[in-house]
Amino acid sequence: AVPRCKPLRHAYEKEIVLYAYFEGLDYVSTECVYAPHAYRGHARALLKDLEATRASTVAALGHSGRRLAVATDVATKTLGAC
């Protein structure tokens, strides 16, 4: 099995869009019809407010999330073949 690779994990969405634009790559962005009523919009707004106060907030949250330990008795999904 090949482990998953996330080369743009530390890049902001704006940077990824700019990269696609300057490289001439096709980039399609559509919003889900249910997105305006989704709870994740509240979380996104909170993150944007935190990021406006301190620019490194999103990176710090991602870093701390990767450092969280998962207990061995927690049921997790097994990755299938791609």
Side-chain angles (χ1 to χ4, degrees), residues 7-67:
L8 300 175
R9 172 176 48 196
H10 299 292
Y12 291 103
E13 186 178 1
K14 292 177 187 178
E15 294 172 348
I16 295 171
V17 172
L18 285 173
Y19 175 78
Y21 175 76
F22 286 119
E23 291 294 320
L25 303 173
D26 291 333
Y27 178 80
V28 178
S29 176
T30 58
E31 185 176 12
C32 176
V33 295
Y34 302 108
H37 305 294
Y39 183 77
R40 66 186 285 173
H42 300 291
R44 180 179 289 135
L46 174 65
L47 282 176
K48 293 295 182 186
D49 292 342
L50 290 172
E51 192 175 25
T53 318
R54 182 175 159 213
S56 62
T57 300
V58 174
L61 284 171
H63 177 70
S64 62
R66 286 187 298 279
R67 292 179 50 104

